[in-house]
Amino acid sequence: ASGLPVVAVDAGGPASLIVSGETGLLAPADADGLATALLALVSAPKLQEHLRRAALAAVGERTWEAALGRLASGYRRAVRERVPGAARRVA
């Protein structure tokens, strides 16, 4: 979201948010892996620009409105599947 290219550990939250080589770089969770990824990024200005642009485009789709819309949609589906006749009451 800051417009800077990202190097992150390939685990947990970052692994679910970053597409390695597209919206950032994911590295093994060790000092050597992180150092290698950082050096690769620092030495490749075109890669930096590619990651920066793609990450900004991807994060633009991650709004509170979109997240809450997906949550509400999931709730509507769950109610329709579990409660007979609920599709007419839940819109």
Side-chain angles (χ1 to χ4, degrees), residues 31-80:
D32 288 337
L34 284 168
T36 299
L38 282 168
L39 290 172
L41 184 60
V42 169
S43 66
K46 287 183 182 180
L47 176 60
Q48 293 172 32
E49 184 62 18
H50 171 76
L51 296 178
R52 186 187 73 75
R53 288 179 186 266
L56 282 173
V59 78
E61 300 169 6
R62 293 186 189 132
T63 65
W64 280 111
E65 291 80 11
L68 292 174
R70 287 189 302 274
L71 178 63
S73 177
Y75 283 151
R76 284 193 288 275
R77 268 193 322 276
V79 168
R80 280 193 305 266

